[in-house]
Amino acid sequence: MAKTETPNHSPALDNGLDDHQPGAGQPGYATQQGNAGETHQDADGNGDAAAFLTDNFGHRLSDNQNSLKAGERGPTLLEDFILREKIFHFDHERIPERIVHARGSAAHGVFEVTKAIPELTKAGLFQKKGTTCPVFVRFSTVAGGAGSVDTPRDVRGFAVKFYTDEGNWDLVGNNIPVFFIQDAMKFPDLVHSVKMEADRGYPQAASAHDTFWDFVGLMPETMHMIMWAMSDRAIPRTLRMMEGFGVHTFRFVNAAGEGKFVKFHWKPVLGLESLIWDEAVKIAGADPDFHRRDLFESIDAGSFPAWDLGVQVFDEDFAAAQPYDVLDATKLIPEEDVPVQIIGRMTLNRNVDNFFAETEQSAFLPSNVLPGIDFSNDPLLQGRLFSYLDTQKSRLGTTNFHQIPVNAPKCPFHNMQRDGLMQTLVPTGRANYEPNSLNEAGEDSGPRASPDTGFTSFRANGERNDPTEKVRVRAELFADHYSQAALFYHSQTENEQAHIASALVFELSKCAMEHVRARVLSRLRNIDETLAARVAEGLAMDLPEKAPAAREPVEMKPSDALSIQKQAKMTFEGRKVGILFAEGSDKATIDKLKADVEAAGGSVFLVAPKVGGLAVKGGTLKADGKLDGSPSVMFDAVASVLMPAEAEKLAKQGAAVQWFMDAYGHCKTIAHCNGTKVILEKAGVEPDEGVVPNEKLMDVGPVRHFAREPKIRDLA
């Protein structure tokens, strides 16, 4: 009898795993547009098995672009096992770091209602002016890991947890009011494309690479967000000087059951301010923790950052009359059309006691809303309602993550949920189900539902939607991908437009694939022909043909609210001025500059060649930082008080020359004494409205002088 060969693997492994290698072979596909202009790439029906996209159990997918909805503008259906599997797998791809928003900084504070709105919502928080509640806020970058730097070009997360008497409300948003995609089905693809490239593990915390721009070029719905991401909004000066947005359209519901749509805005009391790209890069090298340090030190010094909470409220009639769909997360509502009402103020007044226990273990859920606040059918929001709860189990290791102190409500909570990993509560009795009649035997029968005061969903369904069909499709108005991108671009100052063009040139120059660059240029032509031409010239490429638009753009009136520079505040409040001195400097002059800046609400950081006590005219003075470790990128304006002999010495040091060269190049105010002029001349600093004697510092302020920029750098 022949000897039987022993299998070298289990028969259980005789399955499709050998076939699983993505990219094994080059299956053909046909490209076409969906109902809203989204890109569909469908397999050739005659291809081999590797050509067909399936779920993890081999079921072929008919549509990888759209979640399953009850009507084209309806809510996303729980039965969509394809969406749930895709998001479920994505939620669990990283352990234990967050997949996105991994690098975060947080603080505690208080929220106070400044305008009661009972006519709009029955949420207890907003019934009476003066009502307060504690808050916890986590700011973050999106693409980088927990150990990345604070100042990359990136979206910033802006997540607020309100600890109210009716439970926690998590307003989980960004510093940009729109998003890249329209449907949650595409979120894993978006993040995979912008994260480090899968085969090489870089670039970290950067979108300037092939896979991201390949995705962008194939997904025209991204173009509005691209304008924001390539603008100065993506490089905020500090976390204290950026706006926040709820992104999605939500609903307010009042005590009578009447509902209106609402969008949430956070307006920084200190005003908007951004970095220049060169500045952002240098700060990343000088202080990778720049934003985190600024937030911590500001609160520690009692200079508490604050934001006003505003709302845009509108009804279904207004929504139906717009040339865009309010359920589309890639669209905003111009403030000129629906003004923002300010209804409260949030002040951050306490740093975390333990970074891991609070900042890292905090968990935010868009599904945490109060009675009187409800969801819309926005398909991106609908997916987030599932995804965020699911991902906490992976990241925090237990379904009991709500018991971690930073996540626990500050009001009573009672339910029948029991056990689970790391259960820290000790429920007593046997009432872990309802209905029950244990009270009839003298036992505690547990809590019950409250129809009168509990959360109820908005019941009306007048959202221009037929819920009788289950469809994978997008509403027709979702197809306009360019009108609001053009609105944003045309709302910027000439200088801000140049920054956007230059950012596009920089990012696309990092793409090795020429067809990717060409495709993005073809999309830009639908936004603005001049912008496309500027970017093409910066890349030394010919303009390709304009990409066909799924829906022709409409002209929208520019909005000043979309421009950082048009909203700039001339204030020292919250700003930091660096003052350079050396041996022999006049202490009285330094003391006066410091006192004036601090009286105006700013702070001063003293810089010198040495950090120990230096002999100066009028006594001894210690620096806060050494010159070569305290570059001018750390400050909002600079000043110098130097004796001529010391200035001559410093003019021979690269750190001193670079200190002024960068301040000038970053369009900052430079106040100086006569002795400093030798360094200014060597640094190429030319007199203008922002280069002034020390006594003029308070008149000019810590503002940017962008009229200087064309003299100091080439912009697209």
Side-chain angles (χ1 to χ4, degrees):
M1 181 182 292
K3 184 177 179 180
T4 302
E5 291 289 332
T6 302
N8 60 9
H9 64 273
S10 166
L13 297 180
D14 290 334
N15 54 31
L17 290 179
D18 291 340
D19 224 18
H20 181 61
Q21 267 314 100
Q26 296 292 330
Y29 58 81
T31 299
Q32 54 191 8
Q33 289 187 338
N35 194 52
E38 74 274 16
T39 301
H40 289 253
Q41 294 180 336
D42 300 329
D44 181 350
N46 297 319
D48 59 21
F52 298 103
L53 187 65
T54 73
D55 67 8
N56 283 337
F57 297 95
H59 308 120
R60 293 183 182 179
L61 275 57
S62 62
D63 186 335
N64 190 43
Q65 310 303 317
N66 299 296
S67 52
L68 187 65
K69 308 173 191 71
E72 68 173 25
R73 300 185 75 252
T76 300
L77 297 173
L78 186 61
E79 74 178 66
D80 190 351
F81 66 92
I82 297 170
L83 171 69
R84 285 189 288 113
E85 180 193 88
K86 188 173 181 181
I87 296 292
F88 174 80
H89 193 282
F90 173 73
D91 289 344
H92 298 261
E93 284 180 5
R94 298 289 186 275
I95 52 171
E97 181 178 290
R98 287 170 168 87
I99 302 173
V100 288
H101 298 274
R103 180 169 181 81
S105 304
H108 296 271
V110 63
F111 175 78
E112 180 178 0
V113 175
T114 56
K115 179 184 179 183
I117 49 171
E119 73 282 3
L120 295 176
T121 175
K122 63 181 179 181
L125 178 63
F126 295 111
Q127 297 308 297
K128 184 178 179 182
K129 180 180 178 181
T131 301
T132 64
C133 72
V135 294
F136 181 79
V137 182
R138 187 177 187 273
F139 306 102
S140 54
T141 54
V142 175
S148 56
V149 300
D150 273 350
T151 58
R153 179 176 295 281
D154 199 359
V155 184
R156 299 306 191 281
F158 196 124
V160 181
K161 186 181 296 291
F162 299 78
Y163 301 96
T164 84
D165 292 340
E166 295 180 300
N168 289 356
W169 173 31
D170 292 351
L171 184 52
V172 193
N174 289 328
N175 73 323
I176 291 174
V178 294
F179 202 61
F180 291 99
I181 52 174
Q182 297 172 327
D183 193 298
M185 180 69 84
K186 302 311 297 173
F187 194 75
D189 298 300
L190 165 67
V191 176
H192 287 170
S193 76
V194 77
K195 279 286 195 176
M196 299 177 291
E197 298 206 355
D199 59 345
R200 60 204 71 184
Y202 63 83
Q204 170 70 265
S207 55
H209 57 97
D210 283 312
T211 57
F212 175 70
W213 286 97
D214 184 36
F215 182 83
V216 166
L218 291 166
M219 299 289 289
E221 69 202 66
T222 63
M223 297 311 294
H224 186 196
M225 182 67 163
I226 284 298
M227 291 293 101
W228 286 80
M230 294 301 107
S231 79
D232 296 340
R233 294 273 185 159
I235 45 174
R237 177 67 182 162
T238 72
L239 300 174
R240 299 176 292 121
M241 300 170 190
M242 68 181 190
E243 290 183 320
F245 303 90
V247 179
H248 304 287
T249 297
F250 291 87
R251 276 194 183 275
F252 272 155
V253 184
N254 65 19
E258 300 163 337
K260 288 191 175 181
F261 290 119
V262 59
K263 281 184 173 287
F264 295 103
H265 296 246
W266 290 108
K267 301 283 190 180
V269 173
L270 291 177
L272 284 169
E273 198 149 330
S274 64
L275 297 169
I276 291 172
W277 175 240
D278 180 70
E279 198 175 14
V281 172
K282 288 175 176 174
I283 289 175
D287 184 3
D289 307 303
F290 181 69
H291 284 161
R292 180 175 292 174
R293 188 187 312 279
D294 174 84
L295 180 67
F296 185 95
E297 291 183 348
S298 295
I299 295 173
D300 200 44
S303 180
F304 301 141
W307 288 260
D308 288 326
L309 176 62
V311 292
Q312 286 179 298
V313 181
F314 54 98
D315 58 21
E316 176 64 23
D317 289 341
F318 172 87
Q322 302 314 302
Y324 51 86
D325 199 313
V326 300
L327 302 185
D328 180 354
T330 69
K331 305 298 190 296
L332 56 79
I333 298 176
E335 293 184 28
E336 288 78 3
D337 294 346
V338 180
V340 175
Q341 302 179 52
I342 300 301
I343 60 173
R345 174 166 290 191
M346 175 176 70
T347 304
L348 300 184
N349 55 18
R350 181 167 68 85
N351 284 310
V352 299
D353 293 316
N354 184 279
F355 184 84
F356 176 79
E358 298 173 275
T359 305
E360 284 306 284
Q361 289 197 126
S362 60
F364 296 85
L365 307 174
S367 53
N368 277 351
V369 293
L370 306 176
I373 301 173
D374 204 351
F375 315 113
S376 73
N377 291 341
D378 174 348
L380 182 62
L381 173 60
Q382 292 278 316
R384 292 180 73 202
L385 298 178
F386 165 77
S387 177
Y388 278 63
L389 179 62
D390 174 66
T391 199
Q392 308 306 340
K393 167 62 176 68
S394 173
R395 195 173 61 80
L396 297 173
T398 171
T399 189
N400 291 312
F401 68 88
H402 62 283
Q403 296 178 20
I404 297 172
V406 72
N407 298 322
K410 298 186 185 300
C411 64
F413 66 100
H414 305 283
N415 54 50
M416 306 295 189
Q417 296 171 27
R418 296 291 185 269
D419 308 338
L421 184 67
M422 300 182 69
Q423 173 61 259
T424 61
L425 302 179
V426 185
T428 57
R430 51 179 174 167
N432 61 355
Y433 64 96
E434 69 91 23
N436 70 63
S437 60
L438 297 177
N439 61 312
E440 296 180 22
E443 299 182 30
D444 185 352
S445 65
R448 295 294 190 274
S450 174
D452 293 333
T453 59
F455 180 85
T456 54
S457 296
F458 183 64
R459 299 182 63 177
N461 193 30
E463 296 188 21
R464 291 171 286 136
N465 178 64
D466 179 3
T468 60
E469 284 189 298
K470 294 188 292 188
V471 294
R472 291 189 186 276
V473 70
R474 300 187 193 183
E476 184 180 348
L477 274 180
F478 278 49
D480 181 357
H481 304 309
Y482 301 111
S483 296
Q484 292 210 352
L487 163 67
F488 180 79
Y489 182 72
H490 295 147
S491 299
Q492 309 303 300
T493 65
E494 289 186 14
N495 177 262
E496 289 172 311
Q497 290 180 348
H499 289 179
I500 292 172
S502 298
L504 284 162
V505 170
F506 174 83
E507 297 253 334
L508 291 171
S509 70
K510 297 290 185 179
C511 296
M513 298 180 181
E514 186 172 346
H515 76 276
V516 170
R517 300 196 299 269
R519 184 180 290 121
V520 174
L521 286 172
S522 73
R523 302 284 187 203
L524 293 177
R525 294 190 67 177
N526 286 294
I527 298 172
D528 186 271
E529 287 285 1
T530 303
L531 171 63
R534 292 169 74 168
V535 176
E537 182 179 356
L539 295 169
M541 293 178 63
D542 294 330
L543 264 180
E545 290 187 12
K546 180 189 291 188
R551 187 180 180 91
E552 282 302 311
V554 297
E555 186 174 346
M556 301 183 70
K557 185 179 179 181
S559 168
D560 287 349
L562 304 182
S563 164
I564 293 176
Q565 292 180 19
K566 291 177 183 177
Q567 298 184 76
K569 287 187 176 182
M570 199 305 221
T571 177
F572 278 92
E573 188 175 353
R575 274 67 175 178
K576 183 181 290 187
V577 178
I579 300 179
L580 177 63
F581 75 99
E583 288 186 357
S585 295
D586 184 19
K587 185 173 183 296
T589 300
I590 296 171
D591 288 345
K592 185 177 188 312
L593 283 171
K594 187 172 186 293
D596 288 346
V597 170
E598 290 176 348
S603 62
V604 167
F605 191 94
L606 299 180
V607 180
K610 299 177 182 178
V611 294
L614 293 180
V616 295
K617 180 183 177 182
T620 301
L621 196 60
K622 286 187 176 182
D624 298 308
K626 193 169 180 289
L627 175 58
D628 55 7
S630 306
S632 62
V633 292
M634 315 295 284
F635 313 118
D636 299 289
V638 299
S640 61
V641 181
L642 299 169
M643 294 297 288
E646 289 299 317
E648 289 282 358
K649 291 180 184 178
L650 288 176
K652 300 174 183 177
Q653 296 185 24
V657 175
Q658 194 69 45
W659 205 78
F660 290 101
M661 186 181 295
D662 278 346
Y664 185 69
H666 298 147
C667 303
K668 294 176 181 176
T669 295
I670 300 174
H672 62 89
C673 62
N674 286 332
T676 308
K677 288 183 178 179
V678 63
I679 309 178
L680 299 183
E681 290 173 1
K682 192 166 184 180
V685 175
E686 300 176 5
D688 62 25
E689 74 283 356
V691 180
V692 298
N694 283 325
E695 54 268 24
K696 296 289 186 181
L697 172 62
M698 302 309 295
D699 297 331
V700 176
V703 296
R704 302 277 186 165
H705 304 277
F706 285 112
R708 180 191 302 164
E709 195 164 25
K711 298 190 297 184
I712 53 181
R713 69 174 55 87
D714 290 331
L715 294 170

